Amino acid sequence: MLEAQSKELNNSLIRVREACSEEEFDAYREEIGKIMGAMYLDIMKPIHRKYPELEPAELRLSR
């Protein structure tokens, strides 16, 4: 579910970039970055530490 939410947040960036000024987009992107960072650091990373088999392969490669 968190992966799907991340994709939706990324998709929202595209829609906002197309509809807003650069200044509005930059502000929106910054807030989306905070949300996505919190989702990973506060929720997903602790789960992956406890259950490494749940961590997607593409994230394991980035260590």
Side-chain angles (χ1 to χ4, degrees):
M1 185 172 20
L2 291 172
E3 185 177 342
Q5 286 305 116
S6 291
K7 287 179 183 177
E8 284 298 316
L9 290 169
N10 273 326
N11 289 337
S12 77
L13 288 170
I14 295 166
R15 292 190 300 269
V16 170
R17 182 177 52 205
E18 293 171 351
C20 295
S21 70
E22 187 174 334
E23 182 179 281
E24 291 169 318
F25 172 69
D26 287 344
Y28 183 77
R29 180 176 55 187
E30 184 175 332
E31 295 306 315
I32 293 300
K34 290 176 188 177
I35 293 167
M36 292 178 74
M39 284 172 51
Y40 178 72
L41 294 173
D42 298 339
I43 301 169
M44 292 168 37
K45 190 171 183 177
I47 291 170
H48 296 155
R49 280 191 187 133
K50 189 169 183 174
Y51 305 99
E53 68 277 8
L54 297 178
E55 186 174 26
E58 60 270 11
L59 293 179
R60 280 184 249 141
L61 296 174
S62 66
R63 288 188 204 177

